[in-house]
Amino acid sequence: SAVISQKPSRDICQRGTSLTIQCQVDSQVTMMFWYRQQPGQSLTLIATANQGSEATYESGFVIDKFPISRPNLTFSTLTVSNMSPEDSSIYLCSALRGETQYFGPGTRLLVL
Amino acid sequence: GQQLNQSPQSMFIQEGEDVSMNCTSSSIFNTWLWYKQDPGEGPVLLIALYKAGELTSNGRLTAQFGITRKDSFLNISASIPSDVGIYFCAGPGNTGKLIFGQGTTLQVKP
């Protein structure tokens, strides 16, 4: 299995500010992903975090709003930029090891 | 695009009862995954199915990969309070990335 930790676990932010979420995996993984889970909803893929190159974003998500870094095989960050109340959500880091995709505990973000 | 439809959307059952939920799609999936998300946590993989017709158990959980490769079900026998949570089916889409169903929320009354 893969153990994934995220920081912060939750935050309350003011609109217009930015928050960077960190994801750390206990050992090297082939792929890392970032998901958003809005209240009462399923998981939506934001982007695939590529090591050493720009992330690959899904339709509806752009780099200016959700810049992502992955400097090595065990660590990634997601920034939620210029936040608005609509960005209030759970942000989940995920990693693929072998054929299994594992998830972090999530970061609960509330934007006022 | 590809979608996974889960039903029921929510269930409220008595402790000790059996539970059944399913997931369907208009597209073929070559892998079916069932995850559980506890309140305040990320999803955890329960069962993975890789072959049409496959029936797999994990303790009180049993899941099957439908013959048509367009559906799967998850059964929980003799439910207990810690079974509470949201159950998601998922499968790799055409791009290889996981697609998730809408989830089935399970509540168990002691």
Side-chain angles (χ1 to χ4, degrees):
Chain A
S1 66
V3 178
I4 303 175
S5 60
Q6 287 184 232
K7 288 196 296 188
S9 59
R10 60 179 66 240
D11 208 344
I12 301 174
C13 300
Q14 296 297 320
R15 69 174 66 205
T17 63
S18 298
L19 175 72
T20 295
I21 303 168
Q22 298 180 4
C23 176
Q24 179 72 55
V25 190
D26 62 340
S27 59
Q28 292 182 2
V29 291
T30 50
M31 299 180 77
M32 294 182 74
F33 308 91
W34 286 98
Y35 286 80
R36 182 173 71 184
Q37 186 178 24
Q38 294 180 308
Q41 302 295 315
S42 186
L43 284 74
T44 300
L45 181 63
I46 298 171
T48 302
N50 299 311
Q51 195 261 329
S53 64
E54 193 172 284
T56 305
Y57 290 85
E58 298 300 304
S59 175
F61 298 96
V62 295
I63 187 171
D64 289 346
K65 177 66 177 177
F66 296 103
I68 288 170
S69 77
R70 189 181 172 193
N72 56 51
L73 292 175
T74 63
F75 184 80
S76 178
T77 67
L78 168 74
T79 299
V80 186
S81 302
N82 188 25
M83 288 183 284
S84 66
E86 292 70 33
D87 294 320
S88 298
S89 191
I90 301 171
Y91 293 86
L92 293 150
C93 174
S94 178
L96 181 67
R97 176 171 293 152
E99 294 182 336
T100 303
Q101 193 163 331
Y102 300 91
F103 288 84
T107 296
R108 279 144 192 81
L109 172 62
L110 176 63
V111 184
L112 302 177
Chain B
Q2 291 176 291
Q3 284 187 316
L4 293 175
N5 301 305
Q6 276 188 255
S7 65
Q9 187 174 2
S10 62
M11 306 178 74
F12 190 89
I13 62 169
Q14 195 76 34
E15 182 178 1
E17 289 183 354
D18 296 342
V19 172
S20 184
M21 60 189 79
N22 65 69
C23 191
T24 62
S25 176
S26 57
S27 309
I28 288 174
F29 280 78
N30 293 315
T31 299
W32 287 87
L33 307 171
W34 285 93
Y35 284 86
K36 182 193 177 196
Q37 185 175 26
D38 288 330
E41 300 292 329
V44 173
L45 183 65
L46 298 174
I47 292 180
L49 302 161
Y50 300 106
K51 188 176 174 182
E54 180 181 354
L55 183 71
T56 297
S57 293
N58 178 6
R60 293 179 295 106
L61 277 60
T62 302
Q64 183 155 30
F65 190 146
I67 291 290
T68 65
R69 293 192 285 161
K70 293 183 177 181
D71 64 334
S72 176
F73 72 72
L74 175 70
N75 287 343
I76 306 172
S77 62
S79 59
I80 58 178
S82 62
D83 290 332
V84 163
I86 306 175
Y87 292 80
F88 291 101
C89 63
N94 293 333
T95 62
K97 295 168 188 172
L98 276 188
I99 297 172
F100 284 84
Q102 308 96 318
T104 294
T105 300
L106 177 65
Q107 298 184 61
V108 179
K109 183 177 180 182

